[in-house]
Amino acid sequence: MIITRYEGRLLVVRQPDHGDQTGLFATAWGNEDVPALAEHQRAATLAARHHDDGWAVWERRPSLDPATRQPTQFHKVGPVEHIPAYRAGVDRAAHGDPWAGLLVSLHAAGLYNGRYGTFRLPELADQSLTAHEQALVTEFLAEMDRLQRDLLGAVRGHPTPAPAFDDPVVRQHYLLLQVWDRLSLQFAFRHGADGTIAPLPALGGGQGVLTCRSVGAFALALDPYPFATEGAVFPVAGQLVPDRPYRDPEDFLATLASAPALQLDCRVQRAGTAG
């Protein structure tokens, strides 16, 4: 769950709903300035939509932050809870499509290795792990590496002794998945605040930066503008619940179940154009 304060209440965006928006970005991606994917487009879109589905396991009974008595923010959930949930999401994706499973596995592993050295959420700057948690992470990363090699081998039709991330096509797809994921977080977690997203795979195999400038609540001007349609709208589902302490997960879940659905229409436009 992505939990933020909005209009005096808690805005709750479930991770699969964040994934749905991420998948919309993948579907609409690409124009003369920002390249669309040349291969595996359907599988990459599936990965975008389902990259965080593992969270659904945790969201069935979310732990509460002892300091707030509200659901633990997604970036504070520790490996003991997080890894089993993510493993289930990776397994589901891999059984559906090997390329999608490969990308979801890379995304899961990337949460524990600085997204392969490309980005670390600022809120994780002070994160520290116990020896037990670090052992779980080390085991999980090794498991994901083996799975990624197997899945890439299944797609390519031959064994792949090198890490999957070393493959240029895999790397481009993974980096794009991170751009789509972080753009959705720029809306669901940051409500359309200013920011930058990098690295952005660029024409000619290079890398650039996607600059996000706020032009209103849940509205961003993007440079470069990456979508096929100008002035696009990408909705994400959420719910508003009281900003209060909750007795236990059941108290929160009962409140959430009775909260009406909310659609947040997240708007994007080309930088330098009127909204």
Side-chain angles (χ1 to χ4, degrees), residues 179-203:
V179 172
W180 301 330
D181 172 47
R182 289 174 59 192
L183 183 57
S184 181
L185 289 178
Q186 205 66 26
F187 286 114
F189 187 45
R190 308 204 188 278
H191 298 190
D194 292 348
T196 57
I197 299 174
L200 171 68
L203 291 168

Side-chain angles (χ1 to χ4, degrees), residues 51-105:
H51 72 283
D52 276 339
D53 277 7
W55 277 110
V57 176
W58 182 86
E59 289 176 349
R60 293 172 191 163
R61 193 177 188 276
S63 58
L64 300 186
D65 187 327
T68 65
R69 303 303 301 170
Q70 295 174 351
T72 306
Q73 186 61 270
F74 70 95
H75 57 76
K76 292 184 177 181
V77 177
V80 173
E81 293 181 279
H82 182 261
I83 285 177
Y86 245 94
R87 183 181 283 118
V90 171
D91 288 347
R92 177 183 175 186
H95 279 96
D97 181 279
W99 191 266
L102 169 61
L103 295 181
V104 174
S105 173

Side-chain angles (χ1 to χ4, degrees), residues 28-225:
W29 193 263
N31 56 33
E32 61 184 12
D33 299 317
V34 177
L37 290 175
E39 53 185 308
H40 302 297
Q41 296 99 327
R42 178 182 175 277
T45 300
L46 281 173
R49 183 176 180 185
H50 298 293
H51 72 283
D52 276 339
D53 277 7
W55 277 110
V57 176
W58 182 86
E59 289 176 349
R60 293 172 191 163
R61 193 177 188 276
S63 58
L64 300 186
D65 187 327
T68 65
R69 303 303 301 170
Q70 295 174 351
T72 306
Q73 186 61 270
F74 70 95
H75 57 76
K76 292 184 177 181
V77 177
V80 173
E81 293 181 279
H82 182 261
I83 285 177
Y86 245 94
R87 183 181 283 118
V90 171
D91 288 347
R92 177 183 175 186
H95 279 96
D97 181 279
W99 191 266
L102 169 61
L103 295 181
V104 174
S105 173
L106 286 163
H107 179 73
L111 299 178
Y112 289 105
N113 62 19
R115 304 199 191 208
Y116 293 86
T118 65
F119 174 74
R120 186 173 173 83
L121 199 71
E123 287 79 5
L124 293 175
D126 297 327
Q127 183 191 55
S128 61
L129 301 178
T130 67
H132 174 60
E133 289 173 331
Q134 187 57 60
L136 289 176
V137 169
T138 300
E139 178 185 8
F140 182 63
L141 290 175
E143 176 189 342
M144 291 297 101
D145 177 67
R146 293 190 297 270
L147 176 63
Q148 291 155 18
R149 295 175 195 237
D150 289 345
L151 291 172
L152 182 57
V155 173
R156 298 283 191 243
H158 57 76
T160 55
F165 186 76
D166 290 351
D167 182 282
V169 177
V170 173
R171 185 164 55 250
Q172 180 205 24
H173 281 225
Y174 169 78
L175 292 177
L176 272 179
L177 175 57
Q178 302 317 296
V179 172
W180 301 330
D181 172 47
R182 289 174 59 192
L183 183 57
S184 181
L185 289 178
Q186 205 66 26
F187 286 114
F189 187 45
R190 308 204 188 278
H191 298 190
D194 292 348
T196 57
I197 299 174
L200 171 68
L203 291 168
Q207 294 181 352
V209 176
L210 180 64
T211 300
C212 307
R213 182 175 60 83
S214 178
V215 289
F218 300 97
L220 290 171
L222 302 178
D223 183 20
Y225 186 80

